[in-house]
Amino acid sequence: MRTEGNGPFTASLTPQAPPLVIFQAEGLWRSVAGLRGITYSPCSWNSSSLPVTAFSVQIHQVSTRLTIPRGRRRQEGGLSTAVGYPLDTVKVRIQTEGHYNGIWHCIQETYRTERVLGFYKGVSASIFSVSLISSVSFGTYRNFLCNICKLRYGTADAKPSGLDVSLAGGAAGAVRVVLMTPSEVAKVRMQTQRNTHPSITSPQPLSKPKYRGSLHCLKVIAKEEGFGGLYKGCSALLCRDCSSSAIYFLTYSSLCDWLTPAGKNKPGFLVVLLSGGSAGVLAWGLATPMDVLKSRMQVDESGQHKYKGLIHCARESVRKEGLKVLFKGLGLNCIRAFPVNMVVFVTYEAVLRLTDHFTNKK
């Protein structure tokens, strides 16, 4: 990062991580800028100048206004889904279907029958929701934390305790659930829908898919299962996100405090990378059992009614497949979590420092 007099302030982050975080990072700009009272204008990414795993933005100061300039238009979601989403599809299939021997077997079978497109089913639901969800999550966390500090210590700038951070993180997780459950249901249904690729020769004629896309999926679910169908698995998702968000932010805060040398009030770049990645791995590792139950409840379509609720789903799953069923997809969750959350927290800290820089100059 650098500043040149009153000219542009340029921030550039180019870690090698799944590009799904680009949309999450954009959400952080929106949430933190709004929190600090700075005008935000949406950005579009220039695919010709950015590598797939790069996140690079320019910020121009005009008086006290902070804007992210528009680049040339690119195809929606091309950069954000190149790596992260296929791993999520494999994870969901492993969690909800019992005939896979492991990650590699799932990848082979999916590609053999559905080719590359099989890994991107339901991708539009993630593209349109991930930026909003990240924005709401971090914005809620910061607002709750500031309010808790005001109530307990009389000022929002006071150093929060571990309990304060956990409560704010849990609140952020609860708010996320309200917004993300319908898109999660659509994503899971699309990911587990089987459609043989036209290039694959089959003795049976190709059947018409039940869901033609994420929006059509939501429409069919609402029609067949009612409004409650859009919030299937909400109880498991609430348990998953409240607990994991509390652990997520607490772990990050604690590691930053522990690894930051005495006398420095801000964590360094490497400390943020390590703390953010570790927080993501721990949070997702502990959240995996609820993630499995959430996926199984959401894939339960009308007419099946395999599960009556969260407890029934847990009991039936463990009875049929043993305790190990609750940790299906654990490896994939942790593999994705470290690089993604490294970039998310580096972006988060960068935005906080940028906005501090500009607000202090007012």
Side-chain angles (χ1 to χ4, degrees):
M1 295 182 189
R2 58 186 175 86
T3 54
E4 297 177 1
N6 294 323
F9 185 101
T10 301
S12 180
L13 302 173
T14 56
Q16 300 300 314
L20 182 61
V21 302
I22 289 175
F23 271 89
Q24 295 175 328
E26 182 188 347
L28 298 186
W29 290 103
R30 184 181 295 118
S31 63
V32 179
L35 179 65
R36 298 299 181 91
I38 296 172
T39 302
Y40 167 86
S41 63
C43 63
S44 60
W45 304 97
N46 187 340
S47 58
S48 64
S49 63
L50 283 177
V52 172
T53 55
F55 170 68
S56 180
V57 295
Q58 255 195 342
I59 298 173
H60 292 270
Q61 183 186 6
V62 181
S63 182
T64 57
R65 187 173 179 220
L66 185 69
T67 60
I68 300 178
R70 294 179 181 273
R72 193 177 61 180
R73 295 286 179 186
R74 63 162 177 81
Q75 190 174 2
E76 184 92 32
L79 295 179
S80 67
T81 57
V83 175
Y85 196 82
L87 295 177
D88 188 70
T89 298
V90 173
K91 180 205 72 172
V92 169
R93 291 191 170 191
I94 287 174
Q95 289 176 340
T96 58
E97 301 170 22
H99 59 272
Y100 295 117
N101 297 326
I103 295 172
W104 185 241
H105 182 232
C106 180
I107 293 172
Q108 285 179 313
E109 285 298 301
T110 300
Y111 181 77
R112 184 180 65 82
T113 57
E114 301 169 76
R115 296 294 187 247
V116 174
L117 291 179
F119 296 99
Y120 288 92
K121 288 183 174 179
V123 68
S124 59
S126 286
I127 288 175
F128 294 123
S129 64
V130 69
S131 180
L132 173 65
I133 290 167
S134 292
S135 174
V136 169
S137 179
F138 279 82
T140 301
Y141 169 73
R142 289 293 301 179
N143 277 293
F144 264 85
L145 194 59
C146 286
N147 286 320
I148 289 171
C149 288
K150 280 182 182 178
L151 288 172
R152 295 193 64 187
Y153 313 114
T155 174
D157 295 327
K159 183 174 176 61
S161 67
L163 178 61
D164 300 333
V165 173
S166 298
L167 289 174
V175 173
R176 277 167 56 96
V177 171
V178 178
L179 294 173
M180 74 184 295
T181 304
S183 65
E184 277 286 304
V185 173
K187 179 181 73 70
V188 169
R189 295 282 179 92
M190 290 293 295
Q191 285 174 324
T192 54
Q193 178 176 253
R194 295 289 178 179
N195 302 116
T196 303
H197 194 273
S199 66
I200 306 298
T201 55
S202 174
Q204 299 178 346
L206 297 177
S207 58
K208 187 177 180 181
K210 181 177 181 179
Y211 307 120
R212 297 193 297 270
S214 296
L215 289 178
H216 181 254
C217 180
L218 289 171
K219 191 184 298 184
V220 171
I221 292 171
K223 182 180 179 181
E224 294 183 353
E225 304 172 44
F227 182 77
L230 298 175
Y231 280 85
K232 259 188 178 174
C234 183
S235 56
L237 195 57
L238 189 66
C239 292
R240 186 196 78 176
D241 278 19
C242 285
S243 59
S244 65
S245 289
I247 293 165
Y248 181 62
F249 286 108
L250 178 61
T251 302
Y252 174 74
S253 177
S254 300
L255 284 176
C256 281
D257 289 344
W258 184 48
L259 295 173
T260 301
K264 291 185 66 176
N265 60 350
K266 295 286 186 181
F269 178 74
L270 292 178
V271 171
V272 172
L273 284 177
L274 181 60
S275 301
S278 300
V281 171
L282 182 60
W284 268 109
L286 296 175
T288 297
M290 283 298 165
D291 190 46
V292 172
L293 299 178
K294 183 270 304 180
S295 296
R296 292 190 166 212
M297 291 172 70
Q298 289 178 338
V299 81
D300 191 14
E301 299 184 17
S302 61
Q304 294 180 347
H305 299 299
K306 290 171 62 178
Y307 308 117
K308 299 174 184 177
L310 176 61
I311 302 300
H312 183 249
C313 178
R315 187 169 60 239
E316 286 298 299
S317 297
V318 171
R319 183 179 66 83
K320 293 178 180 178
E321 302 174 57
L323 277 174
K324 65 180 182 180
V325 70
L326 298 177
F327 296 94
K328 283 188 172 184
L330 174 63
L332 280 172
N333 277 337
C334 293
I335 289 170
R336 290 190 310 141
F338 196 88
V340 167
N341 289 286
M342 278 197 312
V343 178
V344 167
F345 272 110
V346 165
T347 308
Y348 176 66
E349 290 289 344
V351 174
L352 288 180
R353 295 178 197 192
L354 279 169
T355 53
D356 279 338
H357 171 79
F358 284 107
T359 52
N360 290 337
K361 288 183 69 175
K362 288 184 180 180

